[in-house]
């Protein structure tokens, strides 16, 4: 950027330049792991990354965003992005250069190179979370991003991915979070046995979302509503308003028998129509919102 805080006058125009190739390599896992950086593509993701960057640097901590590449048209359309990027290396680039850098054909005129943002499991649990989404062996990046976004929308305190789950920094996963990756703590590579043991030691209940579960989610919500109205004689399998970690399983096989055995209860989302089941993102959204709604009045 120049002295006025605006990007340089001449856009990067060579899609085969070394810098362009270095950024493009971050679409691959080996380069991400080696450099500890990933790509955020599109105005929404970059906006949230820059907001987190500003929040952390104002607090005296390390930033999140290393570089931003944007087209002139994008910055003219969304001038607030340039304002948010004050203090960050912001470079103008042609659409051809941006397409060469990005994982998508059209990165919507802007992308950012960001540092990994995941945190330790201990830091999450020591903060006393009330609602945690745990993805066990979730392999599809789009599904992982969707669950993370749903957890953010439901006001969850953290998201945890087990060691066998997809890399959340996969470009498709990052896009699917729609910026939520920068909103709440994310733990990667967790051991599910250790996670569950740590949750139980801290008084956090563990529920497994399971289409064949014997506990009905609607029933748990009805019982919570009755308690909120003052009923004292409600006998419940589980108090949904309590601090809870939800386990969500693999897209095809669901949770394994071993993972199901770790939970206090296997909870089913009732299906009233003819569909065989709900997909992962929908089931996770329903479960997380059920807990969130129950906790609001507790």
């Amino acid at each position: 950027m120049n002295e006025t805080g605006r990007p340089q006058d001449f856009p990067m125009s060579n899609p085969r330049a070394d810098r362009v190739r270095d950024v493009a390599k971050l679409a691959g896992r080996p380069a991400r792991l080696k450099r500890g950086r990933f790509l955020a593509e599109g105005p929404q993701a970059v906006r949230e990354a820059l907001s987190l960057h500003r929040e952390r640097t104002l607090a005296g901590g390390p930033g999140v965003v290393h570089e931003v590449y944007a087209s002139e048209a994008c910055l003219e359309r969304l001038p607030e992005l340039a304002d948010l990027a004050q203090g960050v290396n912001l470079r103008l680039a042609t659409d051809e250069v941006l397409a060469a850098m990005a994982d998508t054909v059209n990165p919507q005129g802007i992308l950012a190179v960001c540092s990994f943002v995941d945190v330790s499991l201990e830091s999450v649990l020591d903060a006393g979370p009330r609602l945690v989404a745990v993805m066990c062996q979730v392999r599809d990046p789009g599904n992982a991003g969707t669950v993370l976004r749903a957890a953010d929308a439901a006001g969850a305190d953290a998201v945890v991915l087990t060691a066998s789950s997809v890399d959340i920094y996969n470009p498709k996963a990052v896009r699917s979070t729609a910026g939520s990756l920068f909103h709440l703590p994310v733990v990667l590579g967790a051991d599910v046995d250790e996670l569950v043991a740590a949750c139980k030691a801290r008084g956090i209940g563990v529920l497994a979302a399971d289409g064949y579960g014997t506990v009905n989610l609607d029933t748990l919500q009805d019982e919570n509503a009755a308690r909120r109205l003052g009923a004292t004689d409600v006998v419940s399998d589980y108090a949904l308003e309590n601090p809870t970690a939800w386990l969500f399983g693999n897209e095809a096989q669901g949770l394994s028998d071993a993972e199901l055995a770790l939970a206090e209860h296997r909870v089913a989302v009732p299906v009233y129509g003819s569909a065989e089941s709900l997909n992962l993102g929908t089931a996770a959204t329903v479960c997380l919102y059920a807990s969130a709604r129950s906790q609001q009045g507790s």
Side-chain angles (χ1 to χ4, degrees):
M1 298 178 67
N2 60 30
E3 294 179 356
T4 65
R6 300 295 299 177
Q8 84 293 348
D9 294 330
F10 302 101
M12 296 171 58
S13 59
N14 182 2
R16 291 177 293 279
D18 289 342
R19 180 188 291 267
V20 176
R21 291 174 178 172
D22 284 343
V23 172
K25 288 178 182 178
L26 293 175
R29 182 173 170 82
R32 290 197 299 271
L33 292 176
K34 181 178 180 180
R35 297 166 59 185
R37 297 182 182 182
F38 70 102
L39 292 177
E41 302 176 16
Q44 178 63 19
V46 174
R47 180 183 292 108
E48 302 312 311
L50 288 170
S51 295
L52 179 60
H53 178 89
R54 173 172 289 188
E55 176 185 324
R56 289 190 177 183
T57 54
L58 287 176
V64 173
V65 181
H66 294 274
E67 304 158 3
V68 175
Y69 300 91
S71 69
E72 293 180 278
C74 179
L75 294 183
E76 289 175 0
R77 186 174 71 254
L78 301 168
E80 71 275 11
L81 293 177
D83 294 335
L84 277 174
Q86 292 292 327
V88 175
N89 183 17
L90 173 58
R91 301 289 306 274
L92 287 177
T94 63
D95 290 337
E96 291 77 14
V97 165
L98 290 169
M101 288 179 170
D103 180 66
T104 55
V105 175
N106 179 14
Q108 302 177 62
I110 191 167
L111 59 81
V113 176
C114 306
S115 293
F116 287 175
V117 294
D118 53 283
V119 300
S120 69
L121 177 61
E122 183 179 30
S123 68
V124 164
L125 297 182
D126 286 350
R130 292 185 56 78
L131 183 58
V132 179
V134 182
M135 288 184 259
C136 302
Q137 303 186 67
V138 172
R139 306 286 170 75
D140 182 85
N143 284 337
T146 298
V147 173
L148 194 155
R149 183 180 182 182
D152 180 24
D157 299 295
V159 171
V160 179
L161 289 90
T162 65
S164 52
S165 290
V166 68
D167 179 6
I168 198 63
Y169 299 122
N170 176 295
K172 183 178 180 181
V174 176
R175 289 195 299 272
S176 296
T177 72
S180 289
L181 177 61
F182 302 102
H183 292 169
L184 74 172
V186 178
V187 178
L188 304 181
D191 180 275
V192 68
D193 295 272
E194 294 177 2
L195 164 67
V196 169
C199 284
K200 291 180 178 179
R202 290 168 170 80
I204 302 171
V206 179
L207 299 179
D210 177 29
Y212 301 99
T214 56
V215 177
N216 185 294
L217 183 62
D218 278 0
T219 300
L220 295 183
Q221 293 185 90
D222 290 344
E223 292 166 348
N224 169 266
R227 284 190 292 272
R228 292 175 68 179
L229 291 173
T232 58
D233 58 347
V234 177
V235 178
S236 179
D237 288 307
Y238 184 84
L240 205 57
E241 60 269 31
N242 289 345
T244 302
W246 277 96
L247 306 183
F248 303 110
N250 176 270
E251 296 86 348
Q253 289 82 32
L255 292 163
S256 68
D257 290 341
E259 290 162 347
L260 289 169
L262 294 171
E264 295 173 43
H265 297 286
R266 298 164 56 174
V267 182
V269 176
V271 175
Y272 298 113
S274 302
E276 180 184 2
S277 61
L278 298 174
N279 65 28
L280 172 62
T282 302
T285 301
V286 172
C287 292
L288 292 168
Y289 265 88
S291 280
R293 179 68 182 89
S294 297
Q295 291 175 356
Q296 289 299 310
S298 61

